[in-house]
Structure formats: structure tokens, C-alpha cells
Amino acid sequence: MLLLQRARILVIRVMDKILVVEDLKVYYPLFKGVFRTMYAQIKAVDGIDFSIEQGKTLGLVGESGCGKTTTGRGVLLLRRPAAGRICFLNQDLTQTHGENLRRLRRKMQIIFQDPYTSLDPSKTVASIISEPLKVHKVISDRYQLRDEVSALLDLVKLDPGMATRYPHEFSGGQRQRIAVARALALRPSLVVCDEPVSALDVSTQAQICELLVDLQEKLQLSYLFISHDLSVVRYVSDQVAVMYLGRIVEIGEAGEVCEHPQHPYTQALLSAVPIPNPHKEQQRQRITIGGEVPSAVNPPAGCRFHPRCREFRDGVCNVESPPFKEISAGHLVSCHIFA
């Protein structure tokens, strides 16, 4: 029954997707004592399903600590999953090792959140961008490397003459463009964007988002775009998945989820997004979430959002985890309201 439900959530067959994630679980062990005995686990990601089509973007959104970044790292196997299946280009990464995994990893890259700490300050831009090409032995000739670095800088709209400079000589937006160029050096099929604009000012955020959309069209890239900002996610994403305390609570087309949110948590998140029209901003009802986020070490039974939910039903929400319900085509919600 569970397998049938997951098949319904994924909607389209594995072979039609560049990435399919099923029942992904990523835990962090907690140790104590001199002998470092494990006494508990942080259930950062606790059984999620999603998929990404070729050339499309899935926006993963939620508040800090909900497991978004861990999901991205789990997909790339930077953190080994405790359970689940990650099918990338029709191959299960959790069952792939050695040279086969190394070959697949060339097709998966990541753009980190902070452009001030993700670039090695002791290396020039040329060295930073060319490092993946050297590590994977794609190009060894120094003249070809120089030409490739120039082409990549031009691709992210930076002057190729900047290749001999160091990261501290650039602004935050320019550094993030360098990070994008490094991620694209191996011509990946999938890029995990881990809050790539959250450390930048608003105008620079718009420029980087425009760049990512433009590159996606040119190179047919697929993105897993992680962010806590729904307005940014809506702009760059084709689909949106809303995450809370290690689980996805709502997923669907970006316009459908943002215009017609069904889960109480999604509705609260969207009510916090400012509206440019001051009259509409004053008239709309603001939805607030009470309480604190529960611990991921010992999450609540049943629906994990029930301690803070305005639609809480005693004896239901705090007992049984809600199944996914398809509200409309491709729009799924995990809430007892629709069960």
C-alpha cells in the first residue's frame, strides 16, 4: 500500500525524471561520554519523496532547521542517507560506489549559500574555477584550462580578465557568480542551489536569480533550489515543495501552491510574504504560527505541525501521520483536513 502511495506522489515514471527521491531519511547521531556512545539521532530528513524533470526547477522551501540543506546534501551523497532511494539519471546513487559514483558526481554540483566562505581566499579565480576540471581530469593542458575559465566567466557575465584576481577583490554578487561558474565547470545536469541568494542584498538577489534562469534555458539545467524565501522560490521554480521538521507537507506547481495554498503551514508562510500594493497589504489577514519548532530528536507523534496548527483536531492530528491527498492535478497535501 505504501509503495502504491509513493508511486502516486511521484506521478510520472522514474525514466521520465532526471532525479527521483523516495523515502529519503538522513539522520545525525548524537554522542555522549568518553566512549562516544550514541544516545539519540537528529531526524533532519525523515522520509520524503519528490522528483525533478529535466530542465526544470523544484523549489524546496521552509523555515530554518526544517531539513532543506540536509536534503540537498543527502541527494548529492555529501551526507549518506540512513534509508531511501535516490535515482539520478536512472541509476540508484545509494547502490553506486567507486568509479561509477565518481562519474555520476560530475553531473551533480552545488552552489553554496555564503559566497564569502565557499571560495578559497588563497586561490585565484582561475584556480578556483579550474579545480573541478583538474580533479576529474577533464582538461590538463594549461592553455585549454585558461580558455575554459575565460568561457565560464563570460557565461556568468564576468570579465575574463578578472581570472587572476582573488575572492576578496570582489563583491558578494560577483563572488556568487564565480561560485556559479565553478559549479558549471563540469557541465552538470543537476545543480543544488543551497540558498544561493540569501546572503545578498535585494537588487543583487534579482540579478543572480535572472542569471540562474538564463543559464537553465541555455544549458538545460535542472535545479533543486533551496530557500526560506517564498517570493524568490516562486520566481525561479516550476514546482514548489514545502518542508516542515524533516517532512514535505505540500508539493505542486509553483503557481498553484502559491496562489492556492492548502496546508495551514504553507498558508502561514505565504501570509508573511509582503505584497507591493499597500492597500492589499492592509486588507489581507495575517496568519501567525504560535509556539516553537519541536525538537528533531524527538518529533511530535502524528502530524508534526499539530502543536502549532490552528486546525488541530485532538485524537486525529496527534495520533496518525496524515497521508498525501491530491487536491488537484499534481498538487498534493499531507493534512488530515483532506484525509
Side-chain angles (χ1 to χ4, degrees), residues 85-104:
R85 181 169 175 265
I86 303 166
C87 187
F88 175 64
L89 295 176
N90 295 329
Q91 296 190 55
D92 188 355
L93 296 181
T94 60
Q95 302 299 319
T96 306
H97 305 279
E99 185 58 33
N100 289 334
L101 180 58
R102 179 183 174 88
R103 178 176 50 81
L104 284 172

Side-chain angles (χ1 to χ4, degrees), residues 21-302:
V21 174
E22 294 178 313
D23 197 29
L24 180 66
K25 297 180 181 180
V26 185
Y27 298 161
Y28 293 96
L30 296 176
F31 301 97
K32 66 178 180 181
V34 177
F35 298 102
R36 292 182 57 78
T37 305
M38 188 181 78
Y39 68 95
Q41 293 186 104
I42 300 174
K43 298 177 180 178
V45 178
D46 198 21
I48 64 172
D49 305 83
F50 63 87
S51 58
I52 304 176
E53 293 183 34
Q54 176 66 48
K56 301 294 184 181
T57 300
L58 173 69
L60 189 60
V61 66
E63 59 191 316
S64 297
C66 72
K68 304 186 302 296
T69 294
T70 300
T71 298
R73 290 178 176 272
V75 165
L76 299 174
L77 297 189
L78 295 177
R79 179 77 191 183
R80 274 280 173 179
R85 181 169 175 265
I86 303 166
C87 187
F88 175 64
L89 295 176
N90 295 329
Q91 296 190 55
D92 188 355
L93 296 181
T94 60
Q95 302 299 319
T96 306
H97 305 279
E99 185 58 33
N100 289 334
L101 180 58
R102 179 183 174 88
R103 178 176 50 81
L104 284 172
R105 273 187 161 154
R106 286 177 53 179
K107 295 293 183 180
M108 305 182 296
Q109 295 297 316
I110 184 170
I111 302 170
F112 294 100
Q113 177 178 356
D114 189 357
Y116 292 92
T117 58
S118 63
L119 302 180
D120 190 336
S122 67
K123 293 184 177 180
T124 64
V125 169
S127 180
I128 290 169
I129 295 175
S130 63
E131 185 174 12
L133 298 169
K134 295 176 182 177
V135 168
H136 287 272
K137 300 178 181 178
V138 177
I139 301 175
S140 56
D141 183 79
R142 63 174 182 173
Y143 297 107
Q144 290 182 355
L145 279 172
R146 182 191 60 192
D147 292 342
E148 186 66 15
V149 168
S150 297
L152 286 164
L153 286 172
D154 186 61
L155 189 64
V156 297
K157 298 178 173 58
L158 286 177
D159 183 0
M162 296 177 172
T164 56
R165 298 184 186 180
Y166 290 86
H168 72 269
E169 300 180 68
F170 296 89
S171 66
Q174 289 174 321
R175 292 188 193 193
Q176 200 61 298
R177 289 175 187 269
I178 295 167
V180 172
R182 176 178 61 183
L184 298 180
L186 294 172
R187 298 295 188 264
S189 300
L190 173 70
V191 179
V192 175
C193 305
D194 185 12
E195 304 214 36
V197 297
S198 62
L200 308 175
D201 61 75
V202 176
S203 61
T204 308
Q205 283 185 10
Q207 294 171 15
I208 297 299
C209 286
E210 286 281 0
L211 175 66
L212 291 173
V213 171
D214 181 54
L215 290 171
Q216 184 175 47
E217 293 176 356
K218 287 181 179 178
L219 306 175
Q220 276 299 292
L221 297 169
S222 301
Y223 293 141
L224 174 60
F225 192 94
I226 298 167
S227 179
H228 61 269
D229 190 335
L230 262 170
S231 58
V232 173
V233 167
R234 181 177 182 179
Y235 176 75
V236 301
S237 302
D238 299 287
Q239 280 192 310
V240 171
V242 182
M243 197 168 184
Y244 181 80
L245 201 61
R247 289 184 178 170
I248 291 175
V249 297
E250 186 166 359
I251 186 169
E253 296 296 321
E256 176 69 16
V257 172
C258 293
E259 293 294 336
H260 306 288
Q262 300 296 320
H263 197 280
Y265 178 63
T266 310
Q267 293 170 353
L269 287 180
L270 282 165
S271 76
V273 177
I275 297 176
N277 189 318
H279 299 292
K280 290 184 178 180
E281 178 70 24
Q282 291 176 357
Q283 293 173 0
R284 73 168 175 170
Q285 182 182 2
R286 185 62 60 87
I287 301 172
T288 57
I289 303 176
E292 298 291 332
V293 180
S295 171
V297 176
N298 187 26

